[in-house]
Amino acid sequence: MSFTESLETVTGTKIRIMRKGTGGPLLFLHGASGASRWLPFMDKLSETHEVIVPEHPGFGGSDSPEWLDNISDLAFFYLDLLDHLGLEKVNLVGTSIGGWLAAEIAICNATKLGSLTVVAPAGIRVKGIRKGDVFMWNPQETARNLFHDQAFAEAMLAAPPPSKEGMEILLRNKLTSAKLAWEPRFLNPDLHKWLHRISVPTLIVWGDDDKAMPVGYAPAWRELIPNSRLEIIENCGHLPQIEKADRFVELVSGFIGEVTR
Amino acid sequence: MKFYFMHLMPYADLDLSYDEKHNSAWVTLPNTYYDPKKGHQLYNRYLDELEYADQLGFDGICVNEHHSNAYGLMPIPGVMAGALARRTKNVKIAILGRALPLLNNPLTVAEEFAMVDNITGGRLIAGMVRGIGAEYHSWGVNPAFSHERFQEAHDLILQAWTQPGPSVFEGKHYNFEYVNVWPRVYQDNPHPPIWIPSQGSSETIEWAAHPDRKYTYLQTFASVSTVARYMKMYKDVAAGYGYEATEDQLGWSLPLYVAETDEIARREAKEHIEAFLQKFLRMPMEMLLPPGYTSVKSMVGAMSAKAGHSMKQTIDSVIEEGKFICGSPATVREKLEEYQAQIGFGHLLTLLQFGTLPAELTRKNMEIYSKEVMPYLRSVTASRAA
């Protein structure tokens, strides 16, 4: 069975949502490169969960609303979306900017959440550990820096150039990422003060060779969120869900199974 | 037509082999490439050249703003304008900056411009720009808000200049309880002339040509066909608003080199214009066009154009496109006369020093241009207008 795709209007903003599977709800929040395609890790997770993958406002097939200025706007929008979908005990999983967003949602209101998984999240600062300047990387550098295993980079670079529409989506995703994260760079200076409010069990996942969001950030997240566990994946870059999809799925479903028993 | 001497003040002593190790003369080129002893010489030489333009009868001189680069050493152009305000007597002084979105407090520009306008008794021309993409990297300012910060900063400065203070400003990016700039602008009817330099953008033209503004649109470094296209667009937009754009609303800025003969001009200019094109302007796409700096639509256009052909610019290619005018006085006169008649710009900003062009050639260029090109064009354009 294939995934379904729909456009839904949430507080006046149209967003594109992909869905598949039955079981406890798993809301996946994508990173800077959006979520235009249904990926193998989503499919694996859908064997045990109802996997819901929206594209954030300002990304891919969703609207670019006037009101979107910063990460807080997006977090409050997602609280509206949780109401709209009528979901309870949601397992929130976010990667990179999406991990940052998931944490922002969880500090505001975790009443509809069952668990939280953040994968190489942006959002805080550890002085002296510089994040990769993704806005300065050219397409070659981006591909090489995103992955530990360069075979993934080669495959990405060998892909045919995007169509005009594909190019527009890439540029729009980049624009919204800049809006959220250019300055201060991938940072909400206030976020670290409130991460202790996250009351749901939390899993932190990180690749040990992440050049965008260095793994040196992982212990800080572990310390700031009381009820959290850290898993570092070896020989892995910024996108464990792609580069180590099996291990990623095993960790996430194992964790969710354990904490929602 | 009016004639201006424009300067970029490049770091002409740059080690041009920098590009074996670095991909740009901007943002990330280590400032250890800059030698303050040489810089001291260059700044004073360049200021002398700008002052000399006053003596040679130019209508105006132009300073510029760029940050963290070897291409232009005027990050704070008001310092240059201040130095020139007292040493020049007749010329207009155009500050072409200031990059408004980069500033957290645009009132500093309202103040700086008002000071220069007061000292010179109204010789200021106020430039307002967004800065180039690289500056958003250097200054850490979010390019996604570049357009809205520009509009808002402009509105704030205009309010400071035209409404009696104190007044309140309520914006999204800027907020003030007391807008009350001292000194007031000298040219207060209603404010100093505002010029909008641009690399070419329909959004900018529509905004500048609006009847509330009628600002002078200044096309920077572009081929003749591009200049013609954008200036026609300005006139069409003005016509759409129900008025006819004057020559005073259109300006063109370009490098120019004139010498005794075509052959001498080309020989003397070649290495220096090519240093300008290939070394000082060198910049990857990610630096030049950060997200939001231009619309997604224009970005798609720029990227497909780049995929099509990315040709190295040489003296021949830029002369061919009319981005650079180079030749004997007769050649230069003929080209400018033709372009002016065809395009109808009223301000011509010539960059008579570019790249590594040394002092003596710069002075020779200025002298021949002011004696053998400017007077001729002044009389033909005046007689055409009459």
Side-chain angles (χ1 to χ4, degrees):
Chain A
M1 199 190 78
S2 162
F3 66 96
T4 63
E5 198 180 334
S6 60
L7 282 174
E8 297 195 22
T9 303
V10 181
T11 47
T13 299
K14 210 184 294 164
I15 60 163
R16 176 174 165 270
I17 301 180
M18 296 185 290
R19 279 193 183 85
K20 189 181 172 183
T22 51
L26 188 158
L27 181 64
F28 178 79
L29 303 179
H30 65 75
S33 47
S36 13
R37 291 186 305 128
W38 185 258
L39 296 171
F41 81 90
M42 298 171 184
D43 214 59
K44 289 217 180 78
L45 286 169
S46 76
E47 288 167 14
T48 46
H49 293 89
E50 180 193 4
V51 176
I52 305 164
V53 184
E55 281 185 296
H56 311 325
F59 286 85
S62 298
D63 281 353
S64 287
E66 282 287 318
W67 53 257
L68 180 59
D69 287 320
N70 54 51
I71 197 86
S72 298
D73 291 330
L74 216 45
F76 283 107
F77 172 82
Y78 269 100
L79 291 174
D80 280 356
L81 179 117
L82 288 175
D83 292 343
H84 170 88
L85 297 177
L87 296 172
E88 299 287 339
K89 295 192 177 145
V90 176
N91 300 293
L92 196 56
V93 180
T95 72
S96 191
I97 286 184
W100 175 13
L101 175 59
E104 296 272 356
I105 295 166
I107 63 171
C108 288
N109 185 345
T111 51
K112 303 233 165 108
L113 305 185
S115 73
L116 174 68
T117 301
V118 292
V119 186
I124 65 167
R125 166 187 286 157
V126 176
K127 281 200 175 164
I129 304 182
R130 194 172 172 223
K131 295 162 188 164
D133 188 353
V134 298
F135 296 115
M136 197 67 110
W137 293 347
N138 64 31
Q140 288 72 27
E141 290 165 328
T142 302
R144 304 219 173 278
N145 289 338
L146 281 178
F147 298 101
H148 167 82
D149 179 353
Q150 290 299 299
F152 284 90
E154 299 299 342
M156 193 170 160
L157 291 170
S163 63
K164 189 163 165 282
E165 292 70 30
M167 180 87 84
E168 271 176 26
I169 288 180
L170 288 177
L171 291 166
R172 226 158 64 78
N173 291 352
K174 198 146 217 178
L175 171 60
T176 306
S177 301
K179 209 173 231 196
L180 301 172
W182 186 280
E183 196 281 319
R185 194 56 62 90
F186 289 97
L187 173 68
N188 170 358
D190 298 315
L191 177 64
H192 72 278
K193 298 180 222 168
W194 308 110
L195 286 174
H196 69 266
R197 285 180 48 82
I198 297 179
S199 49
V200 291
T202 299
L203 172 67
I204 301 157
V205 180
W206 228 292
D208 68 343
D209 185 23
D210 187 334
K211 295 182 183 71
M213 210 60 63
V215 70
Y217 274 83
W221 279 86
R222 166 68 199 85
E223 275 167 42
L224 288 163
I225 304 179
N227 186 12
S228 68
R229 181 164 103 200
L230 170 63
E231 294 283 354
I232 291 173
I233 301 182
E234 284 184 4
N235 300 321
C236 180
H238 185 59
L239 308 171
Q241 70 276 20
I242 292 170
E243 193 169 354
K244 299 282 179 186
D246 290 343
R247 176 72 183 132
F248 174 79
V249 168
E250 183 189 353
L251 280 172
V252 174
S253 33
F255 164 72
I256 294 175
E258 194 182 305
V259 299
T260 57
R261 235 194 327 247
Chain B
M1 187 162 72
K2 295 204 165 67
F3 299 85
Y4 302 79
F5 174 63
M6 164 103 182
H7 223 305
L8 291 174
M9 300 200 179
Y11 183 59
D13 287 311
L14 178 66
D15 171 3
L16 296 179
S17 69
Y18 82 85
D19 59 355
E20 290 163 17
K21 286 190 206 140
H22 303 279
N23 67 354
S24 177
W26 297 70
V27 187
T28 52
L29 180 66
N31 64 3
T32 46
Y33 275 82
Y34 178 85
D35 176 347
K37 304 255 176 351
K38 290 176 177 164
H40 167 71
Q41 300 292 335
L42 280 174
Y43 271 121
N44 286 286
R45 172 195 145 192
Y46 291 156
L47 285 166
D48 287 345
E49 289 167 2
L50 284 155
E51 289 167 18
Y52 191 40
D54 189 29
Q55 295 161 30
L56 291 174
F58 282 80
D59 297 291
I61 52 178
C62 312
V63 297
N64 186 243
E65 171 186 352
H66 287 298
H67 299 270
S68 305
N69 73 95
Y71 167 93
L73 294 177
M74 287 181 277
I76 307 295
V79 172
M80 297 294 117
L84 293 163
R86 295 268 304 168
R87 300 270 297 185
T88 61
K89 296 300 168 208
N90 304 306
V91 279
K92 298 275 184 195
I93 300 176
I95 303 180
L96 308 174
R98 295 281 335 250
L100 305 183
L102 301 185
L103 301 169
N104 289 326
N105 182 356
L107 286 181
T108 56
V109 171
E111 293 174 336
E112 172 189 314
F113 281 4
M115 287 169 71
V116 173
D117 201 33
N118 276 259
I119 295 168
T120 58
R123 287 192 281 128
L124 172 81
I125 292 168
M128 296 188 187
V129 299
R130 291 195 296 122
I132 69 160
E135 262 116 25
Y136 291 78
H137 288 280
S138 295
W139 272 49
V141 169
N142 197 331
F145 298 111
S146 166
H147 281 284
E148 51 182 69
R149 279 169 73 96
F150 177 81
Q151 307 278 348
E152 207 176 302
H154 161 273
D155 293 350
L156 170 60
I157 293 167
L158 264 282
Q159 179 176 320
W161 284 350
T162 58
Q163 282 184 30
S167 65
V168 174
F169 187 84
E170 295 168 320
K172 174 176 167 185
H173 297 277
Y174 306 112
N175 290 280
F176 291 88
E177 291 300 305
Y178 303 101
V179 176
N180 192 20
V181 167
W182 288 65
R184 293 200 302 113
V185 281
Y186 186 91
Q187 300 175 81
D188 61 355
N189 184 27
H191 55 71
I194 293 175
W195 285 13
I196 308 295
S198 169
Q199 292 162 303
S201 132
S202 50
E203 292 102 325
T204 302
I205 287 172
E206 286 189 13
W207 179 82
H210 190 278
D212 290 351
R213 290 177 280 273
K214 297 188 179 177
Y215 294 159
T216 296
Y217 174 78
L218 189 68
Q219 180 68 46
T220 61
F221 196 59
S223 65
V224 173
S225 59
T226 305
V227 176
R229 188 172 81 239
Y230 283 118
M231 297 207 177
K232 181 174 183 302
M233 189 188 289
Y234 190 109
K235 290 178 189 170
D236 291 347
V237 170
Y241 284 128
Y243 78 94
E244 194 181 333
T246 65
E247 282 193 356
D248 190 45
Q249 283 166 267
L250 301 170
W252 181 18
S253 164
L254 82 168
L256 183 147
Y257 193 79
V258 54
E260 295 78 355
T261 66
D262 285 348
E263 199 268 325
I264 295 175
R266 191 177 280 252
R267 192 179 65 225
E268 287 177 345
K270 184 177 173 18
E271 74 170 285
H272 308 295
I273 193 72
E274 291 189 347
F276 170 76
L277 298 166
Q278 296 164 13
K279 305 289 181 165
F280 289 93
L281 271 174
R282 184 180 164 83
M283 198 181 303
M285 189 78 146
E286 288 71 25
M287 236 182 233
L288 182 66
L289 296 173
Y293 181 77
T294 52
S295 66
V296 166
K297 199 172 142 226
S298 333
M299 277 289 280
V300 172
M303 290 177 89
S304 12
K306 197 190 175 219
H309 58 95
S310 69
M311 217 180 58
K312 189 167 160 183
Q313 297 196 103
T314 62
I315 187 169
D316 295 318
S317 75
V318 290
I319 288 178
E320 173 68 29
E321 291 176 276
K323 280 181 167 178
F324 175 48
I325 294 180
C326 178
S328 68
T331 302
V332 172
R333 281 197 300 263
E334 187 188 318
K335 282 194 182 175
L336 284 175
E337 186 179 353
E338 181 200 328
Y339 297 153
Q340 202 282 334
Q342 178 196 330
I343 301 170
F345 46 85
H347 303 278
L348 184 64
L349 283 62
T350 45
L351 194 65
L352 302 176
Q353 193 287 333
F354 40 78
T356 48
L357 192 72
E360 55 283 14
L361 293 183
T362 302
R363 287 204 167 231
K364 181 160 81 82
N365 192 18
M366 291 173 73
E367 283 159 6
I368 299 179
Y369 180 74
S370 65
K371 291 187 176 71
E372 300 187 38
V373 178
M374 243 160 58
Y376 172 80
L377 288 169
R378 261 193 216 289
S379 75
V380 291
T381 53
S383 65
R384 202 183 293 139

